[in-house]
Amino acid sequence: LLAEETEQEDFTALLTRLREVARAEACVFIRISPLAVASSERLDWFARSGFVHAPSYMHAEETWLLPIADDEAALRADMRKTTRNLIGRAEREGVKILKSVDVHDVKALYDLEMATAERHRFVPFSLRYLEDEFACFVKDDRAMLFLGKHAGAVSSAALIIFYGTRAFYFQSGSVPSDAPVSYLLQWEVIREARRRGCTLYNLWGVAPEGYTSNHPWAGLTLFKSGFGGFRKEYLHAQDLPLSMRYWVAYCIEKMPRIFRSRF
């Protein structure tokens, strides 16, 4: 990731080193997914170096960010009234949020993600992928699994990544419940992130600005924005082709997006 505070001379040095590694590894292309605000200046850096827009993204680029440095009372006061009330209702109705660092509990997240994928028609990650991903982060105490339980059943789950002063809403899944489980789950994520010294919670993808109610992410965007915070757009992933074979990979990677857009 290219950090937002990276200066142009640092970018040039990084690119020189990446080219060296790519040549040694016989890579077809270099991909950089910049965690930096979208701007014409930053895009010029990449364009002048021969980069093109990647056919897919590596992380959410239209995101919702929530500052969490304030005390809990202030954070709840900044929420949408409906969100605040639903958190209270979940607490009153006995919703329990379990926190786990056990890789075996990833199966619960996987089952919920499969159900979510079926509802929203996207291709989910495999169980092995989720387990390997979680194992990588949890060994450095950078990940935690949150499971929301009501009436004896887990109906909401989220894998959260903690890095420096930021927390990331990384993977999730849910099924309908009689109680607003997901609202209390997010509140517990915020509280845990604050305990770890985080000052910003990245809730990841939302619908683009000016979206309509029929956008597939309209409900998700309403849910996330209810906790307060603001929208931020990051640069799209950039590819530096190193061989003509890159364009074969480009077409293969783009095909699933074209196929999915027909449904």
Side-chain angles (χ1 to χ4, degrees):
L1 295 175
L2 184 68
E4 187 169 347
E5 61 271 15
T6 303
E7 300 292 341
Q8 186 166 8
E9 55 267 29
D10 297 324
F11 170 71
T12 302
L14 171 65
L15 185 54
T16 298
R17 178 56 181 153
L18 287 175
R19 286 178 182 272
E20 293 171 357
V21 173
R23 282 196 297 269
E25 298 291 336
C27 295
V28 175
F29 67 97
I30 296 170
R31 175 167 294 171
I32 297 180
S33 189
L35 196 61
V37 66
S39 70
S40 56
E41 179 187 7
R42 291 296 175 92
L43 283 173
D44 283 344
W45 291 6
F46 287 99
R48 288 197 302 268
S49 300
F51 281 83
V52 298
H53 270 31
S56 61
Y57 58 85
M58 299 302 294
H59 62 73
E61 295 167 0
E62 191 88 23
T63 63
W64 194 264
L65 302 182
L66 175 62
I68 57 174
D70 289 342
D71 60 49
E72 291 188 8
L75 289 173
R76 290 185 79 138
D78 286 341
M79 294 177 185
R80 188 181 295 124
K81 181 179 179 181
T82 302
T83 300
R84 188 166 56 248
N85 289 343
L86 288 172
I87 291 172
R89 178 186 151 196
E91 291 171 331
R92 291 191 302 274
E93 294 185 1
V95 172
K96 302 296 182 185
I97 307 301
L98 312 177
K99 295 185 287 188
S100 173
V101 292
D102 187 343
V103 70
H104 295 99
D105 288 331
V106 173
K107 178 63 165 60
L109 168 65
Y110 171 76
D111 290 342
L112 293 173
E113 192 169 273
M114 288 290 288
T116 305
E118 187 174 346
R119 288 200 312 275
H120 297 289
R121 297 190 177 186
F122 64 85
V123 179
F125 292 105
S126 68
L127 175 58
R128 180 177 178 181
Y129 180 95
L130 292 175
E131 288 176 337
D132 289 347
E133 181 177 65
F134 184 65
C136 261
F137 286 107
V138 80
K139 67 182 179 182
D140 295 322
D141 194 30
R142 291 183 177 175
M144 181 170 281
L145 191 63
F146 291 75
L147 304 173
K149 194 171 185 180
H150 181 251
V154 175
S155 59
S156 183
L159 193 166
I160 306 298
I161 303 297
F162 304 97
Y163 187 81
T165 58
R166 298 189 180 191
F168 296 85
Y169 185 25
F170 206 60
Q171 302 278 4
S172 66
S174 65
V175 292
S177 171
D178 291 335
V181 179
S182 295
Y183 287 87
L184 186 58
L185 185 148
Q186 287 299 327
W187 177 237
E188 288 302 321
V189 170
I190 293 167
R191 298 180 72 192
E192 176 65 27
R194 294 184 72 255
R195 280 193 288 269
R196 289 170 175 254
C198 295
T199 58
L200 191 67
Y201 180 27
N202 188 331
L203 283 97
W204 283 58
V206 291
E209 200 163 10
Y211 70 94
T212 61
S213 58
N214 61 355
H215 190 283
W217 286 7
L220 185 65
T221 304
L222 183 66
F223 169 71
K224 293 179 178 181
S225 61
F227 290 89
F230 60 95
R231 177 188 301 274
K232 187 167 186 178
E233 183 180 356
Y234 291 113
L235 283 174
H236 182 66
Q238 301 290 306
D239 286 352
L240 178 62
L242 301 175
S243 162
M244 290 303 294
R245 287 180 293 163
Y246 165 73
W247 298 105
V248 176
Y250 179 96
C251 292
I252 291 172
E253 193 170 350
K254 198 172 182 66
M255 282 176 63
R257 293 182 62 199
I258 296 172
F259 182 80
R260 285 197 298 268
S261 70
R262 296 177 182 173
F263 295 89

